[in-house]
Amino acid sequence: MAANGWHRVAAESDVEDGHPLAAEIGRDTVLLARVGGRIYACAGKCTHYGAPLADGALRGRIITCPWHNARFDVTNGQMVSPPALDSLRCYEVRVESGDVYVRPTERVESRPSIGEGATYAIVGAGAAGNAAAETLRRDGFAGRVLLITGEPDRPYDRPNLSKDFLAGTAEPDWIPLRPEGFYSEHHIELLTGRRVVSVDCAARLLRIEDGETIPFDKLLVATGGKPRELKVPGAELDGVRLLRTKADAEAIVADLDGAASAVIVGGGFIGMEAAAALAERGVQTHVVARDSVPLSRVFGERIGRWLQSVHEQEGTVFHLGRQVDAIEGSGRLERVILSDGTSLPADVAIVGIGITPAVDWLSGTGLVVDGAVPVNERLETGVAGIFAAGDIASVPDPRLGERIRVEHWVVSERHGQHAARAMLGAEEAYTDVPFFWTQQHGKSLSYAGFARTVDRIAYRGSVEGGDFLAGYYEGDRLRAIASLWRDAEFIAASEILRAGGNVSFEDFSTDTVNLCEMSS
Ligand SMILES: Cc1cc2nc3c(=O)[nH]c(=O)nc-3n(C[C@H](O)[C@H](O)[C@H](O)COP(=O)(O)OP(=O)(O)OC[C@H]3O[C@@H](n4cnc5c(N)ncnc54)[C@H](O)[C@@H]3O)c2cc1C
Ligand code: FES
């Protein structure tokens, strides 16, 4: 019963410290959390893909989403870190006679107004660029925000391209990150189809392909990666596709119309996800990869073998330890020839053999070192006022004591958010633990941390049973973790990594050692 908008949602005693609770009001889910003795309420579904937040982990006032680890402050609903882009709706809470009542509140955001008259340009409207533009506005930047992309589309959900989009199961409105009109509403000048060809760091001037020049006061470089091309005879034939952009994915989907068989070149994440998507479409799919076990370089051989078996059960055929020697066909590809002479009939070939940072337009600036853009802990380059984020950036990792470059969606968004705050003057260092997820045949694996070399892997649960947590060790040091269906332990172990802590190999391998208690 609602009186003056108040709904009774729980007994006060049911809301325990550290244990978030879900309650229903009609069709809405409310999250109840006790912090410092006081009960707070906010929307119970993550603003990213709608995960039930009560299944996440609450540490202090921060709840971490169980699916892709977005973080929110439960005391005010604020989004603390992506992949969610929006904050949670908040509820007013009243406790009376041992019962908890809530009613929705209107959020009143008071923003400082900073930087009037200045122009902050962002080159690249992907994960990092979009997050940066939104953060500038959310944190009160009052000057011009230019979000520039060479692509014709407004920012979109790139990870989805190799998953539901390719499988044909994505709703059209899942792909753009924001609805039409969002950018103009937030006074973000989104310049699409405008490839930047150079930057003059001293004059603070960008040059666009058509000759136009754009002045800026501060700049964020966030042009991501460009896919490596296959260098074999026939790679230029119709139907041989790279997969980086929405246009690439649309071209593949068009090619798949009536296709009976496909070859995926590369057994990395994009290749494996694409293989799963094509198998779901009923296309006979072959994966060709140089490695003897797919994804073993990241997950280790045991998990890689198990994943391979999941794909094989769905009909995908693997050609491992081999490479493509040639692609044949007249005008359009007809078959793919492997290094052992095997000839695979193919209507479509998708090449997923890695990326290189998109740095061509920065040549001569001194910003590029070893093919990437090194930054300091605030994500600022060697040139004051010029920042870099996402796949292109090589960022100091406080745990390893060296710069690392990772190619993950969530990391890029968090870089973008952090760089925007640094552009506004924040001094904090970027210290987040890298995180990514991959989804293949309904299995969503999460990975956190960074391991350059792995000496041994500890396991909990059963890899072959599809329910596990893995810990990757360099010597005695836990460097990274991977999990399937073990969200609470995964988040706990991520928190330990974030805090610079460690778990001994023996403790990690023992299911009865409670990681959640160790991390709190
Ligand atoms: C198909 C696919 C699936 C993926 N799945 C996952 C996943 O499941 N999980 C995960 O963690 N990561 C995933 N990734 C990786 C993730 O998408 C990237 O790490 C992330 O997008 C990098 O963000 P970014 O902002 O650095 O670059 P991008 O998102 O690539 O954005 C770069 C932007 O710069 C623009 N640009 C480039 N050059 C210029 C120029 N000269 N002038 C103007 N604009 C320019 C581009 O058009 C684009 O708008 C996937 C990648 C792909 C391609
Ligand atoms: S559903 Fe919460 S982070 Fe993706």
Side-chain angles (χ1 to χ4, degrees):
M1 267 296 272
N4 294 328
W6 289 100
H7 300 260
R8 183 197 172 280
V9 282
E12 186 186 3
S13 55
D14 289 343
V15 191
E16 295 172 34
D17 258 341
H19 295 281
L21 187 73
E24 305 296 327
I25 303 181
R27 293 167 65 185
D28 293 334
T29 308
V30 177
L31 180 82
L32 300 171
R34 194 184 279 274
V35 180
R38 184 172 160 190
I39 296 174
Y40 294 88
C42 45
K45 288 200 175 151
C46 179
T47 56
H48 181 225
Y49 271 97
L53 289 173
D55 292 349
L58 180 67
R59 301 269 182 285
R61 55 204 287 174
I62 305 298
I63 187 124
T64 303
C65 175
W67 289 358
H68 316 115
N69 293 197
R71 293 196 290 271
F72 302 91
D73 184 333
V74 293
T75 66
N76 55 20
Q78 293 281 347
M79 180 274 285
V80 174
S81 60
L85 295 173
D86 289 313
S87 295
L88 300 169
R89 180 181 194 185
C90 278
Y91 292 79
E92 224 179 312
V93 177
R94 195 180 91 210
V95 179
E96 210 172 274
S97 309
D99 288 320
V100 181
Y101 296 82
V102 301
R103 71 174 174 192
T105 54
E106 286 307 316
R107 183 196 311 280
V108 185
E109 287 190 22
S110 68
R111 298 170 178 177
S113 193
I114 332 164
E116 209 160 334
T119 297
Y120 288 3
I122 300 167
V123 182
N130 181 73
E134 292 199 20
T135 305
L136 285 174
R137 281 292 175 248
R138 194 178 297 117
D139 286 18
F141 179 61
R144 283 181 81 192
V145 177
L146 304 180
L147 181 56
I148 307 168
T149 170
E151 292 179 61
D153 304 288
R154 67 182 189 271
Y156 56 84
D157 188 345
R158 195 176 305 281
N160 202 309
L161 299 180
S162 50
K163 304 179 179 69
D164 306 282
F165 186 84
L166 202 54
T169 52
E171 299 293 334
D173 67 348
W174 289 4
I175 303 305
L177 291 180
R178 292 300 193 179
E180 187 101 56
F182 173 88
Y183 297 95
S184 53
E185 242 168 67
H186 290 80
H187 307 289
I188 294 167
E189 296 173 50
L190 176 62
L191 309 181
T192 54
R194 310 283 274 283
R195 207 168 68 82
V196 178
V197 289
S198 64
V199 55
D200 182 333
C201 298
R204 310 245 141 186
L205 216 55
L206 294 168
R207 183 171 296 277
I208 310 289
E209 201 170 21
D210 61 10
E212 186 194 351
T213 52
I214 298 181
F216 62 85
D217 295 295
K218 288 189 185 175
L219 173 68
L220 177 64
V221 172
T223 40
K226 49 179 193 175
R228 283 207 181 92
E229 293 180 12
L230 193 60
K231 299 243 179 334
V232 298
E236 72 294 343
L237 288 171
D238 270 0
V240 180
R241 303 280 182 193
L242 301 169
L243 176 50
R244 180 75 190 180
T245 65
K246 182 161 169 275
D248 293 338
E250 284 165 348
I252 295 170
V253 168
D255 283 343
L256 286 170
D257 191 18
S261 61
V263 171
I264 309 283
V265 186
F269 288 103
I270 290 181
M272 292 292 274
E273 289 181 353
L278 267 49
E280 278 170 37
R281 280 179 174 265
V283 175
Q284 175 59 61
T285 304
H286 296 263
V287 175
V288 181
R290 281 186 182 162
D291 289 339
S292 56
V293 180
L295 294 177
S296 55
R297 273 186 271 172
V298 180
F299 287 130
E301 290 208 353
R302 191 168 155 196
I303 295 175
R305 270 210 187 88
W306 167 74
L307 262 174
Q308 180 184 341
S309 74
V310 169
H311 282 257
E312 284 170 341
Q313 280 158 29
E314 302 293 337
T316 296
V317 180
F318 285 82
H319 305 267
L320 300 168
R322 271 166 278 184
Q323 59 188 51
V324 171
D325 266 4
I327 299 178
E328 294 178 350
S330 50
R332 196 178 169 81
L333 94 154
E334 289 164 20
R335 59 205 158 265
V336 175
I337 312 298
L338 307 192
S339 45
D340 64 355
T342 306
S343 170
L344 300 172
D347 300 304
V348 182
I350 302 176
V351 178
I353 52 174
I355 63 149
T356 52
V359 292
D360 306 1
W361 65 287
L362 295 171
S363 73
T365 58
L367 293 173
V368 181
V369 178
D370 294 333
V373 181
V375 291
N376 66 16
E377 64 291 340
R378 293 175 64 238
L379 309 189
E380 192 167 22
T381 67
V383 179
I386 299 186
F387 297 76
D391 284 4
I392 202 172
S394 175
V395 179
D397 181 279
R399 287 157 291 274
L400 293 168
E402 59 180 283
R403 284 202 176 90
I404 61 171
R405 194 181 69 74
V406 292
E407 298 163 5
H408 307 335
W409 178 259
V410 173
V411 174
S412 299
E413 289 189 313
R414 291 180 182 169
H415 279 176
Q417 182 190 46
H418 198 90
R421 290 186 175 145
M423 289 166 95
L424 295 175
E427 292 292 338
E428 287 83 23
Y430 182 85
T431 58
D432 229 327
V433 174
F435 167 86
F436 74 81
W437 81 95
T438 177
Q439 191 187 308
Q440 300 168 31
H441 288 302
K443 316 237 175 309
S444 187
L445 281 92
S446 302
Y447 184 99
F450 187 90
R452 233 183 250 295
T453 52
V454 174
D455 298 317
R456 48 190 184 153
I457 306 174
Y459 296 96
R460 288 177 170 219
S462 159
V463 171
E464 292 70 22
D467 172 2
F468 59 82
L469 182 75
Y472 300 87
Y473 283 80
E474 194 182 336
D476 292 332
R477 190 91 204 159
L478 178 65
R479 290 286 185 210
I481 49 173
S483 129
L484 182 66
W485 300 123
R486 297 217 158 195
D487 299 329
E489 286 173 302
F490 178 82
I491 295 169
S494 305
E495 292 297 333
I496 293 169
L497 289 175
R498 183 193 309 280
N502 197 22
V503 182
S504 73
F505 189 86
E506 291 65 34
D507 280 353
F508 199 102
S509 309
T510 312
D511 255 319
T512 48
V513 174
N514 191 327
L515 292 174
C516 300
E517 277 172 15
M518 286 176 86
S519 75
S520 53

